Amino acid sequence: MAIFLVYTASLVLILFVISYVFKLFTDTHRRLPPGPRPLPLIGNLLDIAGDLPHRSLARLARRHGPLMTVRLGTVVAVVASSPATAREILQTHNGSITGRVPPDAWRGAGHAAHSVFVLPPRRKWRALRRIGAEHLLSPRLLDNDGRRRLRPILRDAVLGVLDRVSDLASRGEPVEVGRVVFAAMVDMQWRAMFSARLDDGDDGAAASAHVLHDAAREAVAGSLKGNVSDFFPVLAALDVQGLRRRFARLVATVYRFIDEEIDRRMQRRRDAAGGGDGGAGGVNSGDLLDVLLDMSEREKGGGMVAMDRDVMRTFLADMFLATVDTIASTIEWAMAELLQNQESMTKLHEELTNVLGTSKTHVEFDDTVPPGRHQRNTAPPPVPLVPNVAEEAVEIHGHGVIPKGTTVLVNLWAVHRDAEAWPDQPERFLHGADRPLGAATTEFELIPFSAGRRVCLGLPLATRMLHAMVGSLMGRFVWTLPRDVVENGVDMTESLGLTMTMATPLQAIAKSV
Ligand code: HEM
């Protein structure tokens, strides 16, 4: 057994050295953008160790330029760190740089096979994006579709958070902002997708909702953790840090909850068909699950995508996981910034009083958009790095050539802190407030949702929820920091998962206005 292990390890090492040397050799013949000198085998991993990757990459970019090459183990990555180079990647050459390499943990958990986040930009990916955009995330559906299904769900999420905060405020207890909003987002997205509540009041349901909360939280927190397997794919089978196994366990829990909803709905459809009420139509809620089940029954997706159980489950998990963490952490960061900037908080209170008057108890999307103007873009960007892959060689004028297969990272964190584009002050993103976002982006200084073909699919939902939630929380309560936090300062350290969250969750004291 020991001999076998030594033999396998030596073989893996030899393969790894050969592939690395081959890569280095061929790279010298390519005109890659400049970058820090790599060490043998590990490349520049030491240059980025010891700090969060978006920060260390931003630091390296200050020395090596806004488009630089780094070697992360055997992976060659080109990093764009300025608005101008982000534009090159996400607009000028976007058609050639939209591939993805799925994280090893996702592949190991079986999630990568159908996930819209990592599918190559081909038919299945396009079809899934279209389904998400048309049946869950379109502005028309969110604002006022014929059945008026989603708007009340969004409003309830805001009102639910206000109730929870009121309750804590009346007891003088601090509010863990991120956690309260996270729970509301779980509930909101579950209702939007399944027309069902996870926690319908009884103790058993509440306990099982907690299991899902915890699994979702851990899955998003751990899903992009630095993994040796991603830097040295030849070692992936060993799963040295156990991240594959861990992510697989968490995703399996999320899948189990989703499967239960699918099974319940299918049973209801069968019952309705058996009862002779005209089949599925009689029980159709018109939610995302019904849309997907209709597709699976209609010639396997009506030609768009073969909607089998695996595709359906992965897609629902994607829509769920993408929502719960992004919105909650953005709101937590926004509140943390406001709580440390009394002047901005006072300004916001005044604005809210003007817009809402004294009778309205909460903010809705319509209140945040001046007539005839774009959605205001004031969210602090919580996704620091966007990973793409060049699907063909691309020459970036004045910087060099990105060879086919190269990982291309856009460092959104660095772009939003670009010293030339942004003054270093808390309200800096208000300067870009009226610029169009997402696919319509023209200015690459402000791209919290990225841009180009893989632009965030959830932008319409996120912008509605962020503004309504922060506006309502600020309009209804006066916020202060707990005494020990005032003394020690708010810990603004980031922790990197699917998004950037606060390493120390924000606690704040609310008092009803
Ligand atoms: C504050 C909230 C959010 C922010 C800042 C955000 C940001 C981003 C960013 C930067 C990307 C990467 C785009 C690229 O690869 O170029 C992304 C992708 C994505 N987002 Fe969001 N997001 C948010 C909320 C949401 C929500 C609520 C959903 C709802 C389902 C969602 C669904 C997705 C999906 C499916 C993708 C993958 C798109 C693809 O690869 O084709 N996001 N998001």
Side-chain angles (χ1 to χ4, degrees), residues 9 26 69 109 161 185 189 198 230 232 243 271 281 298 388 418-419 496:
T26 47
T69 305
V161 166
M185 292 302 97
Q189 198 66 338
L198 277 161
D230 290 322
F232 303 102
L243 292 174
D271 292 348
R298 257 196 342 256
N388 292 298
D418 186 274
L496 188 58

Short mmCIF file of all heavy atoms in Angstrom, two decimals, residues 9 26 69 109 161 185 189 198 230 232 243 271 281 298 388 418-419 496:
data_model
loop_
_atom_site.label_atom_id
_atom_site.label_comp_id
_atom_site.label_asym_id
_atom_site.label_seq_id
_atom_site.Cartn_x
_atom_site.Cartn_y
_atom_site.Cartn_z
N ALA A 9 2.28 9.19 -5.96
CA ALA A 9 2.71 10.56 -5.70
C ALA A 9 3.85 10.96 -6.62
O ALA A 9 3.86 12.08 -7.17
CB ALA A 9 3.14 10.70 -4.23
N THR A 26 6.39 27.31 -23.45
CA THR A 26 5.55 27.85 -24.51
C THR A 26 5.17 29.30 -24.22
O THR A 26 5.06 30.10 -25.12
CB THR A 26 4.27 27.01 -24.70
OG1 THR A 26 3.72 26.79 -23.42
CG2 THR A 26 4.58 25.70 -25.38
N THR A 69 0.20 39.63 -15.98
CA THR A 69 0.13 38.17 -15.97
C THR A 69 0.67 37.64 -14.65
O THR A 69 1.72 38.09 -14.19
CB THR A 69 0.99 37.58 -17.11
OG1 THR A 69 0.56 38.17 -18.33
CG2 THR A 69 0.84 36.07 -17.19
N ALA A 109 -18.54 18.23 -6.73
CA ALA A 109 -19.88 18.09 -6.15
C ALA A 109 -20.92 17.80 -7.23
O ALA A 109 -22.10 17.64 -6.92
CB ALA A 109 -20.25 19.36 -5.40
N VAL A 161 -38.28 42.13 7.43
CA VAL A 161 -37.05 42.61 8.06
C VAL A 161 -37.37 43.76 9.01
O VAL A 161 -36.86 43.82 10.14
CB VAL A 161 -36.02 43.04 6.99
CG1 VAL A 161 -34.89 43.85 7.61
CG2 VAL A 161 -35.45 41.82 6.29
N MET A 185 -33.98 36.97 2.68
CA MET A 185 -33.73 36.65 1.26
C MET A 185 -33.98 35.17 0.98
O MET A 185 -34.46 34.80 -0.09
CB MET A 185 -32.29 37.02 0.87
CG MET A 185 -32.00 38.52 0.85
SD MET A 185 -33.09 39.43 -0.26
CE MET A 185 -34.33 40.01 0.84
N GLN A 189 -36.76 34.20 -1.81
CA GLN A 189 -36.45 33.47 -3.03
C GLN A 189 -37.17 32.12 -3.05
O GLN A 189 -37.56 31.64 -4.10
CB GLN A 189 -34.92 33.32 -3.18
CG GLN A 189 -34.45 32.96 -4.58
CD GLN A 189 -34.71 34.07 -5.60
OE1 GLN A 189 -35.56 34.92 -5.42
NE2 GLN A 189 -33.99 34.04 -6.69
N LEU A 198 -40.57 28.13 3.75
CA LEU A 198 -39.76 27.12 4.43
C LEU A 198 -40.19 26.99 5.88
O LEU A 198 -40.28 25.91 6.44
CB LEU A 198 -38.30 27.56 4.44
CG LEU A 198 -37.53 27.24 3.18
CD1 LEU A 198 -36.30 28.09 3.12
CD2 LEU A 198 -37.16 25.77 3.17
N ASP A 230 -7.26 23.84 -7.58
CA ASP A 230 -7.49 24.76 -8.69
C ASP A 230 -6.18 25.28 -9.27
O ASP A 230 -6.10 25.62 -10.44
CB ASP A 230 -8.36 25.95 -8.24
CG ASP A 230 -9.79 25.52 -7.96
OD1 ASP A 230 -10.29 24.66 -8.70
OD2 ASP A 230 -10.38 26.02 -6.99
N PHE A 232 -3.25 23.50 -9.01
CA PHE A 232 -2.52 22.32 -9.52
C PHE A 232 -3.55 21.25 -9.87
O PHE A 232 -3.72 20.29 -9.10
CB PHE A 232 -1.54 21.80 -8.45
CG PHE A 232 -0.55 22.84 -7.99
CD1 PHE A 232 -0.72 23.50 -6.78
CD2 PHE A 232 0.55 23.16 -8.78
CE1 PHE A 232 0.19 24.45 -6.36
CE2 PHE A 232 1.47 24.12 -8.36
CZ PHE A 232 1.28 24.77 -7.16
N LEU A 243 -11.94 20.26 0.35
CA LEU A 243 -12.96 21.24 -0.04
C LEU A 243 -14.03 20.63 -0.96
O LEU A 243 -15.19 21.03 -0.92
CB LEU A 243 -12.32 22.45 -0.73
CG LEU A 243 -11.46 23.31 0.21
CD1 LEU A 243 -10.73 24.40 -0.55
CD2 LEU A 243 -12.34 23.93 1.30
N ASP A 271 -52.01 14.36 -8.66
CA ASP A 271 -53.31 14.31 -7.98
C ASP A 271 -54.36 15.07 -8.77
O ASP A 271 -55.49 14.63 -8.94
CB ASP A 271 -53.21 14.91 -6.57
CG ASP A 271 -52.36 14.04 -5.65
OD1 ASP A 271 -52.06 12.89 -6.04
OD2 ASP A 271 -51.99 14.53 -4.56
N GLY A 281 -52.78 22.38 -15.28
CA GLY A 281 -53.28 23.74 -15.35
C GLY A 281 -54.06 24.14 -14.11
O GLY A 281 -53.96 25.26 -13.63
N ARG A 298 -42.95 19.27 -21.82
CA ARG A 298 -43.10 19.63 -23.24
C ARG A 298 -41.81 19.28 -23.97
O ARG A 298 -40.81 19.93 -23.80
CB ARG A 298 -43.32 21.13 -23.38
CG ARG A 298 -44.72 21.54 -23.66
CD ARG A 298 -44.80 22.98 -24.15
NE ARG A 298 -43.63 23.81 -23.89
CZ ARG A 298 -43.55 24.74 -22.94
NH1 ARG A 298 -44.53 24.94 -22.13
NH2 ARG A 298 -42.46 25.47 -22.80
N ASN A 388 -12.93 34.76 -15.97
CA ASN A 388 -13.31 34.30 -17.31
C ASN A 388 -12.16 33.51 -17.91
O ASN A 388 -11.06 33.47 -17.36
CB ASN A 388 -13.63 35.49 -18.21
CG ASN A 388 -14.89 36.20 -17.77
OD1 ASN A 388 -15.97 35.62 -17.77
ND2 ASN A 388 -14.76 37.44 -17.34
N ASP A 418 -10.06 52.56 -8.15
CA ASP A 418 -9.09 53.17 -9.06
C ASP A 418 -8.94 54.65 -8.68
O ASP A 418 -9.91 55.42 -8.72
CB ASP A 418 -9.61 53.02 -10.50
CG ASP A 418 -8.59 53.51 -11.50
OD1 ASP A 418 -8.58 54.74 -11.80
OD2 ASP A 418 -7.81 52.68 -11.98
N ALA A 419 -7.70 55.02 -8.34
CA ALA A 419 -7.48 56.37 -7.80
C ALA A 419 -7.82 57.46 -8.80
O ALA A 419 -8.27 58.55 -8.43
CB ALA A 419 -6.03 56.49 -7.34
N LEU A 496 -13.70 36.15 2.03
CA LEU A 496 -14.06 35.94 0.63
C LEU A 496 -14.77 34.60 0.41
O LEU A 496 -14.23 33.55 0.68
CB LEU A 496 -12.79 35.99 -0.23
CG LEU A 496 -13.02 35.97 -1.74
CD1 LEU A 496 -13.90 37.12 -2.17
CD2 LEU A 496 -11.70 36.01 -2.48
#
